[in-house]
Amino acid sequence: MFDFVQPGPLSRSGDDRRIRPPRPVWVDLARLYPRPERARPFPEGWDVQAVVPGDLLAWRRTTTGTWIAEVQFRIRRGDDSEGVRHTAWIPAEAVRPRHDAPARKDQP
């Protein structure tokens, strides 16, 4: 886990840790969507092999005791169009701190 996660009071849903304000992170989509061995390239498709910026909203503890990150991020098409925004739970190894952007201040 990242150094900026502070132990805090437990939430109603167990051992979750909300991050307020959200923290900037990088999301490695290739770890979420491994490239199939027998796939033909489709340049106009969704780019799920990129590393994209996101916002870490919380750390969640699973029943196995591992941590997963709740992250908002955008997936774009191969033509670099605007794409779609997602909120997803992501394995910790697919998320890393982003030091090139300040933490958001607009969240309560």
Side-chain angles (χ1 to χ4, degrees):
M1 259 195 313
F2 305 145
D3 293 337
F4 56 71
V5 175
Q6 299 293 324
L10 297 180
S11 69
R12 284 185 289 132
S13 52
D15 204 19
D16 297 344
R17 302 283 191 257
R18 297 272 313 133
I19 308 298
R20 295 194 184 181
R23 303 292 175 135
V25 294
W26 291 110
V27 179
D28 185 350
L29 296 176
R31 288 186 177 248
L32 297 174
Y33 306 101
R35 184 181 303 207
E37 288 183 31
R38 298 180 191 200
R40 290 187 332 179
F42 183 67
E44 297 83 19
W46 295 99
D47 185 1
V48 293
Q49 297 299 300
V51 175
V52 298
D55 291 312
L56 177 65
L57 306 175
W59 284 106
R60 309 280 183 193
R61 179 92 63 144
T62 69
T63 58
T64 62
T66 61
W67 289 94
I68 54 176
E70 182 179 356
V71 181
Q72 281 187 347
F73 58 97
R74 185 175 300 280
I75 296 179
R76 298 183 185 279
R77 293 182 82 74
D79 64 3
D80 205 30
S81 62
E82 185 174 325
V84 293
R85 191 122 176 112
H86 289 279
T87 300
W89 291 1
I90 298 174
E93 60 270 9
V95 179
R96 61 185 163 88
R98 187 172 159 216
H99 300 292
D100 66 333
R104 289 176 40 182
K105 306 263 189 247
D106 59 345
Q107 297 289 320

Coordinates of all heavy atoms in Angstrom, one line a residue, residues 11-94:
S11 N -14.7 1.8 9.0 CA -16.0 2.1 8.4 C -17.0 1.1 8.8 O -16.7 0.0 9.3 CB -15.8 2.3 6.9 OG -15.6 1.0 6.3
R12 N -18.2 1.4 8.5 CA -19.3 0.4 8.7 C -19.1 -0.9 7.9 O -19.5 -1.9 8.3 CB -20.7 1.0 8.4 CG -21.2 1.9 9.4 CD -22.6 2.4 9.1 NE -22.6 3.3 7.9 CZ -23.4 3.2 6.9 NH1 -24.3 2.2 6.8 NH2 -23.3 4.0 5.9
S13 N -18.4 -0.8 6.8 CA -18.2 -1.9 5.9 C -16.9 -2.7 6.2 O -16.4 -3.4 5.4 CB -18.3 -1.5 4.5 OG -17.4 -0.4 4.2
G14 N -16.4 -2.6 7.4 CA -15.2 -3.4 7.8 C -14.0 -2.6 7.9 O -13.9 -1.5 8.5
D15 N -12.9 -3.0 7.2 CA -11.6 -2.5 7.3 C -11.3 -1.6 6.1 O -10.1 -1.5 5.7 CB -10.6 -3.6 7.5 CG -9.3 -3.1 8.2 OD1 -9.4 -2.1 8.8 OD2 -8.3 -3.8 8.0
D16 N -12.3 -0.9 5.6 CA -12.0 0.0 4.4 C -11.4 1.3 4.8 O -11.6 1.7 6.0 CB -13.3 0.2 3.7 CG -14.0 -1.0 3.1 OD1 -13.3 -2.0 3.0 OD2 -15.2 -0.9 2.8
R17 N -10.6 1.9 3.9 CA -10.0 3.2 4.2 C -10.3 4.1 3.1 O -9.8 4.0 2.0 CB -8.5 3.0 4.3 CG -8.0 2.0 5.3 CD -8.1 2.6 6.7 NE -7.4 1.8 7.7 CZ -8.0 1.0 8.6 NH1 -9.3 0.9 8.5 NH2 -7.3 0.3 9.4
R18 N -11.2 5.1 3.3 CA -11.5 6.1 2.4 C -10.3 7.1 2.3 O -9.7 7.3 3.3 CB -12.8 6.9 2.8 CG -14.0 6.1 2.9 CD -14.9 5.9 1.8 NE -15.5 6.6 0.8 CZ -15.5 6.2 -0.5 NH1 -14.8 5.2 -0.9 NH2 -16.2 6.9 -1.4
I19 N -10.1 7.6 1.1 CA -9.0 8.5 0.8 C -9.7 9.9 0.5 O -10.3 10.0 -0.5 CB -8.1 8.1 -0.3 CG1 -7.6 6.6 -0.1 CG2 -7.0 9.0 -0.5 CD1 -6.8 6.4 1.1
R20 N -9.6 10.8 1.4 CA -10.1 12.2 1.2 C -9.1 13.2 1.4 O -8.6 13.3 2.5 CB -11.3 12.3 2.1 CG -12.4 11.4 1.7 CD -13.7 11.7 2.3 NE -14.6 10.6 2.0 CZ -15.8 10.6 2.3 NH1 -16.3 11.5 3.0 NH2 -16.6 9.6 2.0
P21 N -8.9 14.1 0.5 CA -9.4 14.0 -0.9 C -8.8 12.9 -1.7 O -7.7 12.3 -1.3 CB -9.0 15.4 -1.5 CG -7.7 15.7 -0.7 CD -7.9 15.2 0.7
P22 N -9.4 12.5 -2.8 CA -8.8 11.4 -3.6 C -7.4 11.7 -4.0 O -7.0 12.9 -4.1 CB -9.7 11.4 -4.8 CG -11.0 11.9 -4.4 CD -10.6 13.0 -3.4
R23 N -6.6 10.7 -4.1 CA -5.1 10.8 -4.5 C -4.9 10.5 -5.9 O -5.4 9.5 -6.4 CB -4.3 10.0 -3.6 CG -4.4 10.2 -2.1 CD -3.9 11.5 -1.7 NE -4.2 11.8 -0.3 CZ -3.4 12.3 0.6 NH1 -2.2 12.6 0.2 NH2 -3.8 12.4 1.8
P24 N -4.0 11.2 -6.6 CA -3.7 10.9 -8.0 C -2.9 9.6 -8.0 O -1.9 9.4 -7.3 CB -2.9 12.1 -8.5 CG -2.6 12.9 -7.3 CD -3.4 12.4 -6.2
V25 N -3.2 8.7 -9.0 CA -2.5 7.4 -9.1 C -2.4 7.1 -10.6 O -3.1 7.7 -11.5 CB -3.2 6.2 -8.4 CG1 -3.2 6.4 -6.9 CG2 -4.7 6.1 -9.0
W26 N -1.5 6.1 -10.9 CA -1.5 5.5 -12.3 C -2.1 4.2 -12.2 O -1.9 3.4 -11.2 CB 0.0 5.4 -12.7 CG 0.7 6.7 -13.0 CD1 1.7 7.3 -12.2 CD2 0.4 7.6 -14.1 NE1 2.1 8.4 -12.8 CE2 1.3 8.6 -13.9 CE3 -0.4 7.5 -15.2 CZ2 1.3 9.7 -14.9 CZ3 -0.4 8.6 -16.1 CH2 0.5 9.7 -15.9
V27 N -2.9 3.8 -13.2 CA -3.5 2.5 -13.3 C -3.0 1.8 -14.5 O -3.0 2.3 -15.6 CB -5.1 2.7 -13.4 CG1 -5.7 1.3 -13.6 CG2 -5.6 3.4 -12.3
D28 N -2.4 0.6 -14.3 CA -1.8 -0.2 -15.4 C -3.0 -1.1 -15.9 O -3.2 -2.2 -15.3 CB -0.7 -1.0 -14.8 CG 0.1 -1.8 -15.9 OD1 -0.5 -1.9 -17.1 OD2 1.1 -2.3 -15.6
L29 N -3.6 -0.7 -17.0 CA -4.8 -1.5 -17.5 C -4.3 -2.9 -18.0 O -5.1 -3.8 -18.0 CB -5.4 -0.7 -18.6 CG -6.1 0.6 -18.2 CD1 -6.7 1.4 -19.4 CD2 -7.2 0.4 -17.1
A30 N -3.1 -3.0 -18.4 CA -2.7 -4.3 -18.9 C -2.7 -5.4 -17.8 O -2.8 -6.6 -18.1 CB -1.3 -4.2 -19.5
R31 N -2.5 -5.0 -16.6 CA -2.6 -5.9 -15.5 C -4.1 -6.4 -15.2 O -4.3 -7.4 -14.7 CB -2.0 -5.3 -14.2 CG -0.5 -5.2 -14.2 CD 0.0 -4.8 -12.9 NE 1.4 -4.8 -12.9 CZ 2.2 -5.6 -12.2 NH1 1.6 -6.5 -11.4 NH2 3.5 -5.5 -12.2
L32 N -5.0 -5.5 -15.6 CA -6.4 -5.8 -15.4 C -6.9 -6.6 -16.6 O -7.8 -7.5 -16.5 CB -7.3 -4.5 -15.4 CG -7.0 -3.6 -14.2 CD1 -7.8 -2.4 -14.3 CD2 -7.4 -4.4 -12.9
Y33 N -6.4 -6.3 -17.8 CA -6.8 -6.9 -19.0 C -5.6 -7.5 -19.8 O -5.2 -6.9 -20.8 CB -7.6 -5.9 -19.9 CG -8.7 -5.2 -19.2 CD1 -8.5 -3.9 -18.7 CD2 -9.9 -5.8 -19.1 CE1 -9.6 -3.3 -18.1 CE2 -11.0 -5.2 -18.4 CZ -10.8 -3.9 -17.9 OH -11.8 -3.3 -17.3
P34 N -5.1 -8.6 -19.4 CA -3.9 -9.2 -20.0 C -4.2 -9.4 -21.5 O -5.3 -9.8 -21.9 CB -3.7 -10.5 -19.3 CG -4.5 -10.5 -18.1 CD -5.6 -9.5 -18.3
R35 N -3.2 -9.2 -22.3 CA -3.3 -9.4 -23.8 C -3.5 -10.9 -24.1 O -2.6 -11.7 -23.7 CB -2.1 -8.8 -24.5 CG -2.2 -8.9 -26.0 CD -1.0 -8.3 -26.6 NE -0.8 -6.9 -26.1 CZ -0.2 -6.0 -26.8 NH1 0.4 -6.2 -27.9 NH2 -0.1 -4.8 -26.3
P36 N -4.5 -11.3 -24.8 CA -4.6 -12.7 -25.2 C -3.5 -13.1 -26.2 O -3.0 -12.2 -27.0 CB -6.0 -12.8 -25.9 CG -6.7 -11.5 -25.7 CD -5.6 -10.5 -25.3
E37 N -3.1 -14.3 -26.2 CA -2.1 -14.8 -27.1 C -2.4 -14.7 -28.5 O -1.6 -14.3 -29.4 CB -1.7 -16.2 -26.7 CG -0.9 -16.3 -25.4 CD -0.5 -17.8 -25.2 OE1 -0.3 -18.5 -26.2 OE2 -0.4 -18.1 -24.0
R38 N -3.7 -15.0 -28.8 CA -4.1 -15.0 -30.2 C -5.2 -13.9 -30.5 O -6.3 -14.2 -30.8 CB -4.7 -16.4 -30.5 CG -3.8 -17.5 -30.4 CD -4.4 -18.8 -30.7 NE -3.5 -19.8 -30.3 CZ -3.6 -21.1 -30.7 NH1 -4.6 -21.4 -31.6 NH2 -2.8 -22.0 -30.3
A39 N -4.7 -12.7 -30.4 CA -5.6 -11.6 -30.7 C -5.1 -10.8 -31.9 O -3.9 -10.6 -32.0 CB -5.7 -10.7 -29.5
R40 N -5.9 -10.4 -32.8 CA -5.5 -9.5 -33.9 C -5.7 -8.1 -33.5 O -6.7 -7.7 -32.9 CB -6.4 -9.8 -35.1 CG -6.1 -11.1 -35.8 CD -6.9 -11.3 -37.1 NE -8.1 -10.5 -37.1 CZ -9.0 -10.5 -38.1 NH1 -8.7 -11.2 -39.2 NH2 -10.1 -9.8 -38.0
P41 N -4.8 -7.2 -33.8 CA -4.9 -5.8 -33.4 C -6.1 -5.2 -34.1 O -6.5 -5.5 -35.2 CB -3.6 -5.2 -34.0 CG -2.7 -6.3 -34.2 CD -3.5 -7.5 -34.5
F42 N -6.8 -4.3 -33.3 CA -7.9 -3.5 -33.8 C -7.7 -2.1 -33.3 O -8.1 -1.7 -32.2 CB -9.2 -4.2 -33.2 CG -10.5 -3.5 -33.7 CD1 -10.8 -3.6 -35.0 CD2 -11.2 -2.8 -32.8 CE1 -12.0 -2.9 -35.5 CE2 -12.4 -2.1 -33.2 CZ -12.8 -2.2 -34.6
P43 N -7.0 -1.3 -34.1 CA -6.6 0.1 -33.6 C -7.8 1.0 -33.2 O -7.6 1.9 -32.4 CB -5.9 0.7 -34.9 CG -5.5 -0.5 -35.7 CD -6.6 -1.6 -35.4
E44 N -9.0 0.7 -33.6 CA -10.1 1.6 -33.3 C -10.8 1.1 -31.9 O -11.7 1.8 -31.5 CB -11.2 1.6 -34.4 CG -10.7 2.2 -35.7 CD -10.0 1.1 -36.5 OE1 -10.1 -0.1 -36.3 OE2 -9.2 1.6 -37.4
G45 N -10.3 0.0 -31.4 CA -10.9 -0.5 -30.2 C -10.5 0.3 -28.9 O -9.8 1.3 -29.0
W46 N -11.0 -0.2 -27.8 CA -10.6 0.4 -26.5 C -9.2 0.0 -26.1 O -8.8 -1.2 -26.2 CB -11.6 -0.1 -25.4 CG -13.0 0.4 -25.7 CD1 -14.0 -0.3 -26.3 CD2 -13.5 1.7 -25.5 NE1 -15.1 0.5 -26.5 CE2 -14.9 1.7 -26.0 CE3 -13.0 2.8 -24.9 CZ2 -15.7 2.8 -25.9 CZ3 -13.8 3.9 -24.8 CH2 -15.1 3.9 -25.3
D47 N -8.4 1.0 -25.7 CA -7.0 0.7 -25.3 C -6.9 0.3 -23.9 O -6.9 1.1 -22.9 CB -6.2 2.0 -25.5 CG -4.7 1.8 -25.3 OD1 -4.3 0.7 -25.0 OD2 -4.0 2.8 -25.4
V48 N -6.9 -1.0 -23.7 CA -6.9 -1.6 -22.3 C -5.4 -2.1 -22.0 O -5.3 -2.9 -21.1 CB -7.9 -2.7 -22.1 CG1 -9.3 -2.2 -22.1 CG2 -7.7 -3.8 -23.1
Q49 N -4.5 -1.6 -22.7 CA -3.1 -1.9 -22.5 C -2.3 -0.7 -21.9 O -1.1 -0.8 -21.6 CB -2.4 -2.5 -23.7 CG -3.0 -3.8 -24.2 CD -2.9 -4.9 -23.2 OE1 -1.8 -5.3 -22.8 NE2 -4.0 -5.4 -22.7
A50 N -2.9 0.4 -21.9 CA -2.3 1.7 -21.5 C -2.1 1.8 -19.9 O -2.8 1.1 -19.2 CB -3.1 2.9 -22.0
V51 N -1.2 2.7 -19.5 CA -1.2 3.1 -18.2 C -1.8 4.5 -18.1 O -1.4 5.4 -18.9 CB 0.3 3.2 -17.7 CG1 0.4 3.8 -16.3 CG2 1.0 1.8 -17.7
V52 N -2.9 4.6 -17.3 CA -3.7 5.8 -17.4 C -3.8 6.5 -16.0 O -3.6 5.8 -15.0 CB -5.2 5.5 -17.9 CG1 -5.2 4.9 -19.3 CG2 -5.9 4.5 -16.9
P53 N -4.0 7.8 -16.0 CA -4.1 8.5 -14.7 C -5.5 8.2 -14.1 O -6.5 7.9 -14.8 CB -4.0 10.0 -15.1 CG -4.4 10.0 -16.5 CD -4.0 8.7 -17.1
G54 N -5.5 8.2 -12.8 CA -6.8 8.0 -12.0 C -6.8 8.6 -10.7 O -5.8 9.3 -10.3
D55 N -7.9 8.5 -10.0 CA -8.0 9.0 -8.6 C -8.3 7.9 -7.7 O -9.3 7.2 -7.8 CB -9.1 10.1 -8.6 CG -8.8 11.3 -9.3 OD1 -7.7 11.8 -9.1 OD2 -9.6 11.8 -10.1
L56 N -7.5 7.7 -6.7 CA -7.7 6.7 -5.6 C -8.7 7.2 -4.7 O -8.5 8.2 -4.0 CB -6.4 6.4 -4.9 CG -6.4 5.4 -3.8 CD1 -6.8 4.0 -4.3 CD2 -5.1 5.4 -3.0
L57 N -9.8 6.5 -4.5 CA -10.9 6.8 -3.7 C -10.9 6.1 -2.3 O -11.3 6.7 -1.3 CB -12.3 6.6 -4.4 CG -12.4 7.2 -5.7 CD1 -13.8 6.7 -6.3 CD2 -12.4 8.7 -5.7
A58 N -10.4 4.9 -2.3 CA -10.4 4.1 -1.1 C -9.6 2.8 -1.3 O -9.3 2.4 -2.4 CB -11.8 3.7 -0.7
W59 N -9.1 2.3 -0.2 CA -8.6 0.9 -0.1 C -9.6 0.1 0.5 O -10.2 0.4 1.5 CB -7.3 0.9 0.7 CG -6.1 1.5 0.0 CD1 -5.5 2.7 0.3 CD2 -5.4 0.9 -1.0 NE1 -4.5 2.9 -0.6 CE2 -4.4 1.8 -1.4 CE3 -5.5 -0.3 -1.7 CZ2 -3.4 1.5 -2.4 CZ3 -4.6 -0.6 -2.7 CH2 -3.6 0.3 -3.1
R60 N -9.8 -1.1 0.0 CA -10.8 -2.1 0.5 C -10.1 -3.4 0.8 O -9.3 -3.9 0.1 CB -11.9 -2.4 -0.6 CG -12.5 -1.1 -1.2 CD -13.6 -0.6 -0.4 NE -14.2 0.6 -1.0 CZ -15.0 1.4 -0.4 NH1 -15.2 1.2 0.9 NH2 -15.6 2.4 -1.0
R61 N -10.5 -4.0 2.0 CA -9.9 -5.2 2.4 C -10.8 -6.4 1.9 O -12.0 -6.3 2.1 CB -9.8 -5.3 3.9 CG -9.2 -6.6 4.4 CD -7.7 -6.6 4.6 NE -7.3 -5.6 5.5 CZ -6.3 -5.8 6.4 NH1 -5.7 -7.0 6.4 NH2 -5.9 -4.9 7.1
T62 N -10.2 -7.4 1.2 CA -11.0 -8.5 0.8 C -11.1 -9.6 1.8 O -10.5 -9.5 2.9 CB -10.4 -9.1 -0.5 OG1 -9.1 -9.8 -0.1 CG2 -10.1 -8.1 -1.6
T63 N -11.9 -10.6 1.6 CA -12.1 -11.7 2.5 C -10.8 -12.5 2.7 O -10.7 -13.2 3.7 CB -13.2 -12.6 2.1 OG1 -13.0 -13.1 0.8 CG2 -14.6 -11.9 2.1
T64 N -9.9 -12.4 1.7 CA -8.6 -13.1 1.8 C -7.6 -12.3 2.6 O -6.5 -12.8 2.8 CB -8.1 -13.5 0.5 OG1 -7.9 -12.3 -0.3 CG2 -9.1 -14.4 -0.3
G65 N -7.9 -11.1 3.0 CA -7.0 -10.2 3.7 C -6.2 -9.3 2.8 O -5.4 -8.5 3.3
T66 N -6.3 -9.4 1.5 CA -5.5 -8.6 0.6 C -6.3 -7.2 0.4 O -7.4 -7.1 0.7 CB -5.4 -9.2 -0.8 OG1 -6.6 -9.4 -1.4 CG2 -4.6 -10.5 -0.7
W67 N -5.5 -6.2 -0.1 CA -6.1 -4.9 -0.3 C -6.4 -4.7 -1.8 O -5.5 -5.1 -2.6 CB -5.2 -3.8 0.2 CG -5.1 -3.8 1.6 CD1 -4.1 -4.4 2.4 CD2 -5.9 -3.1 2.5 NE1 -4.4 -4.1 3.8 CE2 -5.5 -3.3 3.8 CE3 -7.0 -2.2 2.4 CZ2 -6.1 -2.7 5.0 CZ3 -7.6 -1.7 3.5 CH2 -7.2 -1.9 4.7
I68 N -7.5 -4.1 -2.1 CA -7.8 -3.6 -3.5 C -8.1 -2.1 -3.4 O -8.5 -1.6 -2.4 CB -8.9 -4.4 -4.1 CG1 -10.2 -4.3 -3.2 CG2 -8.6 -5.8 -4.4 CD1 -11.4 -5.0 -3.8
A69 N -7.8 -1.5 -4.6 CA -8.0 0.0 -4.6 C -9.3 0.3 -5.3 O -9.6 -0.3 -6.4 CB -6.8 0.6 -5.4
E70 N -10.0 1.2 -4.8 CA -11.2 1.8 -5.5 C -10.7 3.0 -6.3 O -10.3 4.0 -5.6 CB -12.3 2.1 -4.6 CG -13.5 2.6 -5.3 CD -14.7 3.0 -4.4 OE1 -14.6 2.7 -3.2 OE2 -15.7 3.5 -4.9
V71 N -10.8 3.0 -7.6 CA -10.1 4.0 -8.4 C -11.1 4.5 -9.5 O -11.8 3.7 -10.1 CB -8.8 3.5 -9.1 CG1 -8.2 4.6 -9.9 CG2 -7.9 3.0 -8.0
Q72 N -11.1 5.8 -9.7 CA -11.8 6.3 -10.9 C -10.7 6.6 -12.0 O -9.7 7.2 -11.7 CB -12.5 7.7 -10.6 CG -13.8 7.5 -9.9 CD -14.5 8.8 -9.8 OE1 -13.9 9.9 -10.0 NE2 -15.8 8.8 -9.4
F73 N -11.0 6.2 -13.2 CA -10.1 6.4 -14.3 C -10.8 6.4 -15.6 O -12.0 6.0 -15.7 CB -9.0 5.3 -14.3 CG -9.5 3.9 -14.4 CD1 -9.6 3.2 -15.6 CD2 -10.0 3.2 -13.3 CE1 -10.1 2.0 -15.8 CE2 -10.5 1.9 -13.4 CZ -10.6 1.3 -14.6
R74 N -10.2 6.7 -16.7 CA -10.8 6.8 -18.0 C -10.1 5.9 -18.9 O -8.9 5.8 -19.0 CB -10.6 8.3 -18.5 CG -11.4 8.5 -19.8 CD -11.3 10.0 -20.3 NE -11.9 10.9 -19.3 CZ -13.2 11.1 -19.2 NH1 -14.1 10.5 -19.9 NH2 -13.6 11.9 -18.3
I75 N -10.9 5.1 -19.7 CA -10.4 4.3 -20.8 C -10.7 4.9 -22.1 O -11.8 5.4 -22.3 CB -11.0 2.8 -20.7 CG1 -10.6 2.1 -19.4 CG2 -10.5 2.0 -21.9 CD1 -11.2 0.7 -19.3
R76 N -9.7 5.0 -22.9 CA -9.9 5.7 -24.2 C -9.8 4.7 -25.4 O -9.3 3.6 -25.2 CB -8.8 6.7 -24.5 CG -8.8 7.8 -23.4 CD -7.7 8.9 -23.7 NE -7.6 9.9 -22.7 CZ -8.4 10.9 -22.6 NH1 -9.3 11.1 -23.5 NH2 -8.3 11.8 -21.7
R77 N -10.4 5.1 -26.5 CA -10.3 4.3 -27.7 C -8.9 4.4 -28.3 O -8.1 5.4 -28.0 CB -11.4 4.7 -28.7 CG -12.8 4.3 -28.2 CD -13.8 4.7 -29.2 NE -14.0 3.6 -30.2 CZ -14.7 2.5 -30.0 NH1 -15.1 2.1 -28.8 NH2 -14.8 1.6 -31.0
G78 N -8.5 3.6 -29.2 CA -7.2 3.7 -29.9 C -7.0 5.0 -30.6 O -5.9 5.4 -30.9
D79 N -8.1 5.7 -31.0 CA -7.9 7.0 -31.7 C -7.8 8.1 -30.7 O -7.8 9.3 -31.1 CB -9.1 7.2 -32.6 CG -10.4 7.4 -31.9 OD1 -10.5 7.3 -30.6 OD2 -11.5 7.5 -32.5
D80 N -7.6 7.8 -29.4 CA -7.4 8.8 -28.4 C -8.6 9.7 -28.2 O -8.4 10.8 -27.7 CB -6.1 9.6 -28.6 CG -5.5 10.1 -27.3 OD1 -5.7 9.5 -26.2 OD2 -4.9 11.2 -27.3
S81 N -9.8 9.2 -28.4 CA -11.0 9.9 -28.2 C -11.2 10.1 -26.7 O -10.4 9.6 -25.9 CB -12.2 9.2 -28.8 OG -12.4 8.0 -28.2
E82 N -12.2 10.8 -26.3 CA -12.4 11.2 -24.9 C -12.6 9.9 -24.0 O -12.1 9.9 -22.9 CB -13.7 12.0 -24.8 CG -13.9 12.5 -23.4 CD -15.1 13.5 -23.3 OE1 -15.3 14.3 -24.2 OE2 -15.8 13.4 -22.3
G83 N -13.2 8.9 -24.5 CA -13.3 7.7 -23.8 C -14.4 7.7 -22.8 O -15.3 8.5 -22.8
V84 N -14.4 6.8 -21.8 CA -15.4 6.6 -20.8 C -14.7 6.6 -19.4 O -13.6 6.0 -19.3 CB -16.3 5.4 -21.0 CG1 -17.1 5.5 -22.3 CG2 -15.5 4.1 -21.1
R85 N -15.4 7.1 -18.4 CA -14.9 7.1 -17.1 C -15.5 5.9 -16.3 O -16.6 5.6 -16.4 CB -15.3 8.4 -16.4 CG -14.7 8.7 -15.1 CD -14.0 10.0 -15.2 NE -13.4 10.4 -13.9 CZ -12.1 10.4 -13.7 NH1 -11.3 10.1 -14.7 NH2 -11.6 10.7 -12.5
H86 N -14.6 5.3 -15.5 CA -15.0 4.1 -14.8 C -14.6 4.3 -13.3 O -13.7 5.0 -13.0 CB -14.2 2.9 -15.2 CG -14.6 2.4 -16.5 ND1 -15.7 1.6 -16.7 CD2 -14.1 2.5 -17.8 CE1 -15.9 1.3 -18.0 NE2 -14.9 1.8 -18.6
T87 N -15.4 3.7 -12.4 CA -15.0 3.5 -11.0 C -14.9 2.0 -10.9 O -15.9 1.3 -11.1 CB -16.0 4.1 -10.1 OG1 -16.0 5.5 -10.3 CG2 -15.5 3.9 -8.6
A88 N -13.8 1.5 -10.4 CA -13.6 0.0 -10.3 C -12.7 -0.3 -9.1 O -11.9 0.5 -8.6 CB -12.9 -0.5 -11.6
W89 N -12.8 -1.5 -8.7 CA -11.9 -2.1 -7.7 C -10.8 -2.8 -8.4 O -11.1 -3.6 -9.3 CB -12.7 -3.0 -6.8 CG -13.7 -2.3 -5.9 CD1 -13.9 -1.0 -5.8 CD2 -14.5 -2.9 -4.9 NE1 -14.9 -0.7 -4.9 CE2 -15.2 -1.9 -4.3 CE3 -14.7 -4.2 -4.5 CZ2 -16.2 -2.1 -3.3 CZ3 -15.6 -4.5 -3.4 CH2 -16.3 -3.4 -2.9
I90 N -9.6 -2.4 -8.1 CA -8.4 -2.9 -8.8 C -7.4 -3.5 -7.9 O -7.1 -2.9 -6.8 CB -7.8 -1.6 -9.5 CG1 -8.8 -1.1 -10.5 CG2 -6.5 -2.0 -10.2 CD1 -8.4 0.2 -11.2
P91 N -6.7 -4.6 -8.3 CA -5.7 -5.2 -7.4 C -4.6 -4.1 -7.2 O -4.3 -3.3 -8.0 CB -5.1 -6.3 -8.3 CG -6.2 -6.6 -9.3 CD -6.9 -5.3 -9.5
A92 N -4.1 -4.1 -6.0 CA -3.1 -3.2 -5.5 C -1.9 -3.1 -6.5 O -1.3 -2.0 -6.7 CB -2.6 -3.5 -4.1
E93 N -1.5 -4.3 -7.0 CA -0.3 -4.3 -7.9 C -0.5 -3.5 -9.2 O 0.4 -3.3 -10.0 CB 0.2 -5.7 -8.2 CG -0.8 -6.6 -8.8 CD -1.7 -7.3 -7.8 OE1 -1.7 -7.0 -6.6 OE2 -2.4 -8.2 -8.3
A94 N -1.7 -3.2 -9.6 CA -2.0 -2.5 -10.8 C -2.1 -1.0 -10.6 O -2.4 -0.2 -11.5 CB -3.3 -3.0 -11.4

